[in-house]
Amino acid sequence: MLTVTFSYSTTRGISPILFDHGFTFHDDHYRKTLTSVPIDIVLKHHNSDHNLILTCEDDIPFNCCKELYYLVDELATDLSAKIDDKKALLGYDQQGEPAYLYHGFQKWANYIDKARQRSMAGTNVEIWQSNKRLARGILVPPTVDNNDSYTLITSEGEQIFSGDSLTVYPVEER
């Protein structure tokens, strides 16, 4: 299980904040289902310690890791919380430093994205943003300094895509 502890200092009350983020209350915990893949996130409140403990399964796809990172980041801000994610190790970045669900996540995610992009270079792919297909074409290998965009050769020529929530999928030729 991935476990993240929020040590919060908000005086606003946690329920309204969690409800604003799509959590619902069930018996003794809060629950939310991720939108990228239907995986449940559970938050248990320890009022006397001013802690919230987030848990979810540890075998989750990369896009869920991204969604969880953004959720943890937003909750940390809204709850005025410090994050302990030492029980949420995802892997290691390019320099061999540990990457957790929150701390070190951005460097690790960039490393994984670039490795994935390099492995698909020269193949037919589709680029999606949320539920909308932006383009289909051949993925051009990334340049060393290119960390946030994808270049495709499409029927309309070379096109560059950048922005949040972009996903690249390989396309099978028939």
Side-chain angles (χ1 to χ4, degrees), residues 94-109:
Q94 192 168 3
Q95 287 75 36
E97 296 294 321
Y100 300 93
L101 187 56
Y102 184 73
H103 295 101
F105 179 82
Q106 292 290 25
K107 284 176 58 177
W108 176 77

Side-chain angles (χ1 to χ4, degrees), residues 5-32:
T5 301
F6 296 83
S7 299
Y8 65 89
S9 61
T10 186
T11 57
R12 196 176 126 199
I14 63 156
S15 290
I17 293 170
L18 297 179
F19 294 151
D20 285 347
H21 288 280
F23 284 90
T24 56
F25 188 74
H26 301 268
D27 298 324
D28 65 343
H29 64 276
Y30 296 87
R31 181 178 299 272
K32 174 185 174 114

Side-chain angles (χ1 to χ4, degrees), residues 23 26 28 30 39 46-47 49-50 53 58 64 85 89 93 105 108 117-118 121 127 132 134 136 148 153-154:
F23 284 90
H26 301 268
D28 65 343
Y30 296 87
I39 292 176
H46 299 273
N47 192 31
D49 298 331
H50 290 266
I53 312 291
D58 58 0
C64 285
D85 60 352
L89 179 67
D93 66 18
F105 179 82
W108 176 77
Q117 187 176 354
R118 280 190 305 278
I127 295 186
K132 181 182 176 190
L134 300 178
R136 181 179 183 156
D148 59 358
I153 305 295
T154 68

